[in-house]
Amino acid sequence: MSRPTSAVFAYSSSLLVAVWALLAVLPQARAFTSYANEFVNPNYMLARKYPGNTGGAQFSILRWADQLAAEGPWTVIDKPVVPPSGDIHDYMSWSPYSWPNCAALGNTTELPLPEVWSTCPYYLRDGLFNPDVRMINNTGHFNAMADAVWMNALAWAMTGIPRYSINAANFINIWFLQNSTAMNPNLVYSQMRRGPGKGQLGAHTGELDLKCMAKVANAILILRNGQSPQWTPELDAGMVNWCNRFISWFTSYWIALEEAIAKNNHGSFYYTQLASHQMIAHDYQGARETIKTYFATIYMNQITATGEQPLEARRTRPYHYRAYNVIAMMTNARIGTYLGLDYWNHTSAQGAGIQKALDFAMTIPPTDDPLGHRQPAELYQPVAGVASQYGDPNGSYASFLANLDQRYPSAPYFLWCQPFSESGLVAARPGYSPSRDGAHAVRATVGYIFGTVAVLSALLW
Ligand SMILES: *[C@@H]1O[C@H](CO)[C@@H](O)[C@H](O)[C@H]1NC(C)=O
Ligand SMILES: *[C@@H]1O[C@H](CO)[C@@H](O)[C@H](O)[C@H]1NC(C)=O
Ligand SMILES: *[C@@H]1O[C@H](CO)[C@@H](O)[C@H](O)[C@H]1NC(C)=O
Ligand SMILES: *[C@@H]1O[C@H](CO)[C@@H](O)[C@H](O)[C@H]1NC(C)=O
Ligand SMILES: *[C@@H]1O[C@H](CO)[C@@H](O)[C@H](O)[C@H]1NC(C)=O
């Protein structure tokens, strides 16, 4: 082994260790958890009177606003398959739980994909994602766009820094309005079931694909109410027009009407979505009626006396679906609060409300999922939301979270799920930097020692 080679090796390895050490000491945002939905009162965000224990959450929001924005923009035309209409501007997705069964076709070699899609019968395996559906990723892109728009609007409300409102306005313009990239205001081809003789239209379950519109509506209300210079009258008028066209479709087309009467989370999110479009369209009275209708109808049969949600419990991923529908109910209640309605204590036909549904969901371990998805984080935001709404007199909600997630006070939701205790965790301190975490400090020190040894050995070789 010649000296130059080993020196190069030592230098490059010391460089790697140094980078590793640097990453350890730089502030890092916690992993971003994208919840199915959320609606933060725009007035709370714009008033900027956040409790002192939310420093970590504020820090996370700013970090995530920038990180999510760096991945954009997104557009509905970004897909390798043109919808049956021939118009790439139509939103399209495939049914996530549908799988092909080509056994009866008698082919002797592998079929080309388009042939699989059109000739193999598809059958449903509830809860099991067919990974090929994301080849058409309008769904993933819409969700990513909604998260980026939402986080950037929150960051703008907190700081007034134009970069954030520019991001939010730009992503909205590209997804919904700009002629070359805009989505048509319908979901005709959402969650299409493939297979012979089928696959020409979407399914009512596909209406769920736009549930994150609540995040977009939240962002627009923040920019609108906060009079952001980037939220121009042209953008506002464009979105009013887009939403009015969508609402006409959403309240008359048969696929959408099937979703409106779905009794489980699909129905809950239908109303979230409708109210969201109505608020963007300045139809606040219509949105109020929508929330009233949800709580007077579908909601009434979603929670039993014990707090169980039987329509979610019987799915293949009950842990996930209970949390999912609690989030839908809470988002509808939060939109209601913003519109002057109070459904937090409204009880179902069997006398239980949102708090009881959450309390029940908390008693089920995440491992109770036949398909093996274990995502306890799905319940974190609802737990904090319920605690802030109904109080946490004996600290049971705070200790539930502290046991599962030592860094929960630095999650974005901790900013608006207030008042709520930070359980004395360091992550809540204003100006929190994870470099003060023990683990990070150890990583940084080890990196420093190894880096020094590597440099010295390279010099002395
Ligand atoms: C027939 O095509 C399907 C889809 O490509 C494939 O899974 C299957 O293995 C093929 N059958 C044979 C015998 O090659
Ligand atoms: C779909 O889009 C999301 C958001 O951009 C991305 O995270 C994901 O990796 C994409 N999936 C595929 C299969 O490309
Ligand atoms: C965009 O499309 C709309 C409606 O299709 C049309 O009225 C408008 O003139 C177009 N704008 C541009 C810049 O092409
Ligand atoms: C809900 O009911 C409880 C007691 O029944 C009451 O203390 C609380 O203020 C009510 N909350 C709302 C939001 O009305
Ligand atoms: C603590 O409070 C929650 C509701 O906030 C209640 O469900 C629970 O029974 C209480 N636990 C104890 C031990 O008092």
Side-chain angles (χ1 to χ4, degrees), residues 19 22 66 142 144 164:
V19 168
L22 195 66
D66 283 318
F142 181 80
Y164 295 122

Side-chain angles (χ1 to χ4, degrees), residues 339-393:
L339 298 172
L341 304 169
D342 184 354
Y343 282 107
W344 291 100
N345 277 348
H346 185 60
T347 52
S348 69
Q350 293 198 35
I354 294 173
Q355 184 176 23
K356 208 152 193 183
L358 189 267
D359 288 345
F360 186 97
M362 284 168 67
T363 64
I364 311 288
T367 47
D368 182 38
D369 184 330
L371 294 180
H373 300 270
R374 286 169 196 172
Q375 292 163 333
E378 289 193 76
L379 218 51
Y380 297 171
Q381 180 254 66
V383 168
V386 158
S388 66
Q389 196 64 45
Y390 301 90
D392 190 12

Side-chain angles (χ1 to χ4, degrees), residues 181-196:
T181 52
M183 170 182 166
N184 292 334
N186 74 71
L187 290 173
V188 172
Y189 304 108
S190 191
Q191 294 199 7
M192 287 169 58
R193 196 79 72 80
R194 287 169 279 177

Side-chain angles (χ1 to χ4, degrees), residues 23-106:
L23 287 179
V25 293
L26 282 178
Q28 288 169 325
R30 51 180 295 121
F32 181 72
T33 303
S34 178
Y35 285 97
N37 237 323
E38 184 61 276
F39 184 84
V40 185
N41 195 321
N43 302 332
Y44 172 77
M45 286 309 300
L46 291 166
R48 295 191 191 167
K49 298 207 173 83
Y50 318 124
N53 63 353
T54 60
Q58 293 176 43
F59 172 77
S60 294
I61 291 170
L62 300 185
R63 278 298 293 259
W64 278 108
D66 283 318
Q67 292 196 11
L68 295 172
E71 291 163 22
W74 301 265
T75 161
V76 78
I77 68 169
D78 178 11
K79 53 179 174 280
V81 178
V82 180
S85 60
D87 186 350
I88 195 81
H89 294 269
D90 279 331
Y91 179 98
M92 178 178 173
S93 65
W94 282 326
S95 162
Y97 301 152
S98 289
W99 295 72
N101 179 1
C102 310
L105 260 60

Side-chain angles (χ1 to χ4, degrees), residues 106 112 153 220 238 240 268 412:
I220 290 176
V240 168
S268 313

Side-chain angles (χ1 to χ4, degrees), residues 258-440:
E258 276 187 9
E259 186 78 338
I261 54 168
K263 296 181 166 66
N264 64 359
N265 65 77
H266 282 272
S268 313
F269 279 125
Y270 177 90
Y271 286 94
T272 311
Q273 229 188 105
L274 182 55
S276 301
H277 285 95
Q278 287 166 323
M279 290 190 294
I280 297 173
H282 293 262
D283 182 11
Y284 296 101
Q285 187 50 38
R288 221 170 266 130
E289 293 308 319
T290 298
I291 297 298
K292 280 185 191 168
T293 305
Y294 165 71
F295 280 104
T297 58
I298 292 175
Y299 172 86
M300 294 306 286
N301 295 309
Q302 288 188 328
I303 317 168
T304 67
T306 61
E308 173 62 299
Q309 301 172 72
L311 302 171
E312 311 305 328
R314 70 164 180 242
R315 297 292 294 276
T316 49
R317 298 165 62 201
Y319 185 87
H320 158 73
Y321 279 112
R322 282 191 196 96
Y324 199 61
N325 195 49
V326 166
I327 286 179
M329 296 191 291
M330 289 180 68
T331 304
N332 288 345
R334 282 187 198 282
I335 292 174
T337 302
Y338 176 63
L339 298 172
L341 304 169
D342 184 354
Y343 282 107
W344 291 100
N345 277 348
H346 185 60
T347 52
S348 69
Q350 293 198 35
I354 294 173
Q355 184 176 23
K356 208 152 193 183
L358 189 267
D359 288 345
F360 186 97
M362 284 168 67
T363 64
I364 311 288
T367 47
D368 182 38
D369 184 330
L371 294 180
H373 300 270
R374 286 169 196 172
Q375 292 163 333
E378 289 193 76
L379 218 51
Y380 297 171
Q381 180 254 66
V383 168
V386 158
S388 66
Q389 196 64 45
Y390 301 90
D392 190 12
N394 58 24
S396 59
Y397 293 123
S399 61
F400 178 90
L401 277 184
N403 281 337
L404 288 165
D405 178 14
Q406 283 281 305
R407 297 180 66 197
Y408 80 85
S410 65
Y413 63 71
F414 192 73
L415 178 63
W416 55 88
C417 293
Q418 291 293 334
F420 185 41
S421 165
E422 76 284 2
S423 301
L425 293 165
V426 63
R429 284 213 297 265
Y432 163 72
S433 145
S435 63
R436 297 197 200 115
D437 269 3
H440 286 275

